[in-house]
Amino acid sequence: MQRTGMARLKYACDMDKSVLLNNFEARGWVPVSPDDDWNFYWAGVQSIRNVFSIDSGYRLTDDQVINHFPNHVELTRKDLMVKNIKRYRKDLEKEGSPLAEKDENGRFIHLDFIPLTFMLPADYNLFVEEFRKNPNTTWIMKPCGKARGIGIFLVNKLSQLKKWSRDSKTNNFTPPTSKDTYVISKYIDNPLLIGGKKFDLRLYVLVTSFRPLKCYMYRLGFARFCTVKYNASVNELDNMFVHLTNVSIQKQGEDYNAVHGGKWTVQNMRLFLEGTRGKEVTDKLFDEINWQTVHSLKAVSGNISNDRHCFECYGYDYIVDDNLKPWLIEVNASPSLTSTTSSDRIMKYRLMNDLINIVIPPGQMP
């Protein structure tokens, strides 16, 4: 069928990433500046704030789509995600939903998929109470507003948190700004190891609508490995090459391999698990991951401004423990589109290709 007289689609893009630009070029789309009339805008999170800010008075027209929901932070900021999931569980419990069923120890049977987490400084006292119950537990602290493993550290002593304890004598505790709020979570200290190394799973989820919820799970994610063998001993707590799988951290290590980038495809991971642990438990693991993803999206669906001009590609990070139970660690709003290896580049190019085809079916305008 010939595409005669059809206007060429105009795109704006904040990022100089080949996996994006090559996809736009392959479609014959025309690059324009974000200030011009665009049909498709791949924007950085900062630009989203400007596009949707009350002051800009910017109104999206029918033929425009953009790659973030206005308040995507409800899912992608570590503290807000936890808050929303906790509220979601409470709501289901109030409704008497079978999903909110608990075991004899009071733990959710189906909805126990984020590690026990507290906000600091707000939940400091609750945290201390929990810490004293199990003083041998390791906790991981993360700043709420940062990514790529920045500012993360592990703690196993209360003295390491002194700066959050209120000084009762002076009582002039000033809550830090949101930049200084942290989440502190029980560290998954029994991760599934492969070749003695810890890894996490990065999976991609495209959401085109929150109400009704429409999401697509991408089949080609990858596992990211640490470069150094895992060791849960206390004296290794500050060796981030052992604990953090972020590529931006691992590639600084001397054992980093630039050819495979410390990554495996999810397919290879799956084959390995089927071969070593059996097909049944492996299928169950991936089934659970899918359900956890859906629950996390349902947990925020009431809070997100469901704008029909928006779609979003989230980067979901899961850690699998040695019981083959997945844990949702965090959701990223701007999963990295930088390619560390050639297979990485091919995978991310395909990811973008499939995503664009869903958001704007070929030969159509938005």
Side-chain angles (χ1 to χ4, degrees):
M1 196 171 80
Q2 272 208 315
R3 300 168 55 181
T4 46
M6 188 175 148
R8 285 168 72 190
L9 195 137
K10 300 199 272 282
Y11 76 88
C13 186
D14 284 355
M15 279 161 237
D16 188 20
K17 297 279 185 252
S18 62
V19 295
L20 279 171
L21 301 176
N22 295 348
N23 260 302
F24 302 148
E25 280 165 23
R27 287 170 170 73
W29 290 4
V30 185
V32 296
S33 126
D35 305 325
D36 292 328
D37 278 340
W38 42 264
N39 304 111
F40 183 98
Y41 186 4
W42 192 276
V45 282
Q46 195 52 57
S47 307
I48 290 295
R49 280 185 209 133
N50 303 337
V51 168
F52 288 110
S53 83
I54 312 285
D55 317 328
S56 78
Y58 198 89
R59 279 276 163 269
L60 294 179
T61 58
D62 281 349
D63 60 351
Q64 291 187 306
V65 289
I66 194 163
N67 66 322
H68 292 285
F69 287 88
N71 56 342
H72 62 82
V73 293
E74 293 287 342
L75 181 61
T76 55
R77 224 181 79 164
K78 300 174 181 70
D79 52 341
L80 296 178
M81 176 186 92
V82 170
K83 206 166 76 184
N84 283 318
I85 289 175
K86 285 180 176 175
R87 196 207 55 246
Y88 172 69
R89 296 195 293 211
K90 268 207 186 81
D91 291 349
L92 286 173
E93 223 177 336
K94 277 191 199 122
E95 293 165 20
S97 161
L99 283 171
E101 206 185 321
K102 289 180 166 174
D103 65 12
E104 58 277 12
N105 306 322
R107 289 184 49 179
F108 286 99
I109 296 174
H110 309 293
L111 297 176
D112 179 34
F113 59 87
I114 49 174
L116 182 61
T117 300
F118 298 95
M119 315 301 163
L120 293 184
D123 300 338
Y124 182 76
N125 297 344
L126 286 171
F127 165 71
V128 171
E129 206 179 305
E130 184 63 40
F131 185 92
R132 294 210 165 112
K133 278 188 220 157
N134 302 298
N136 298 329
T137 311
T138 299
W139 296 78
I140 183 162
M141 274 193 79
K142 305 177 179 185
C144 290
K146 296 203 169 71
R148 301 192 306 281
I150 296 165
I152 293 181
F153 51 101
L154 301 183
V155 292
N156 59 354
K157 293 189 202 64
L158 278 178
S159 57
Q160 292 161 298
L161 296 185
K162 272 295 171 266
K163 78 181 245 206
W164 277 278
S165 53
R166 292 167 163 74
D167 181 358
S168 52
K169 288 190 283 298
T170 55
N171 209 3
N172 61 356
F173 177 80
T174 48
T177 60
S178 70
K179 284 194 182 65
D180 300 333
T181 50
Y182 278 77
V183 289
I184 188 160
S185 304
K186 209 170 234 180
Y187 183 62
I188 309 283
D189 57 4
N190 60 331
L192 175 65
L193 302 179
I194 294 185
K197 292 177 181 168
K198 179 179 162 175
F199 67 93
D200 73 350
L201 288 177
R202 160 57 63 86
L203 300 168
Y204 298 97
V205 177
L206 167 65
V207 177
T208 53
S209 160
F210 274 97
R211 294 190 295 282
L213 180 60
K214 277 192 188 170
C215 62
Y216 302 78
M217 307 274 300
Y218 193 57
R219 286 209 185 96
L220 307 174
F222 51 86
R224 300 178 289 195
F225 284 85
C226 288
T227 51
V228 178
K229 287 207 164 161
Y230 182 73
N231 170 354
S233 86
V234 174
N235 49 11
E236 281 287 9
L237 281 190
D238 48 7
N239 182 347
M240 287 305 150
F241 295 124
V242 173
H243 298 287
L244 291 190
T245 48
N246 308 65
V247 172
S248 44
I249 287 180
Q250 291 295 339
K251 65 178 180 208
Q252 297 160 23
E254 48 198 48
D255 300 314
Y256 180 74
N257 175 326
V259 179
H260 56 65
K263 289 180 179 175
W264 261 17
T265 61
V266 167
Q267 268 84 344
N268 283 347
M269 168 98 235
R270 205 168 175 153
L271 286 170
F272 176 83
L273 287 179
E274 285 176 6
T276 50
R277 306 287 287 262
K279 184 157 171 29
E280 204 175 313
V281 285
T282 305
D283 286 348
K284 181 171 179 280
L285 164 72
F286 282 94
D287 196 43
E288 273 184 38
I289 286 176
N290 288 344
W291 275 113
Q292 291 184 12
T293 305
V294 170
H295 283 307
S296 66
L297 292 169
K298 285 173 86 165
V300 300
S301 64
N303 296 32
I304 297 249
S305 315
N306 188 43
D307 188 314
R308 60 196 177 83
H309 301 281
C310 303
F311 67 92
E312 189 128 21
C313 178
Y314 295 103
Y316 269 70
D317 291 346
Y318 283 98
I319 282 189
V320 180
D321 69 19
D322 56 12
N323 304 314
L324 287 206
K325 174 176 167 61
W327 295 90
L328 174 58
I329 301 302
E330 62 182 274
V331 181
N332 295 276
S334 301
S336 163
L337 296 178
T338 310
S339 315
T340 42
T341 64
S342 59
S343 55
D344 205 24
R345 183 174 308 111
I346 294 165
M347 189 270 291
K348 286 175 178 169
Y349 179 85
R350 285 184 185 161
L351 166 72
M352 286 302 127
N353 182 43
D354 289 356
L355 177 149
I356 296 168
N357 285 343
I358 290 173
V359 174
I360 301 182
Q364 292 183 20
M365 282 303 240

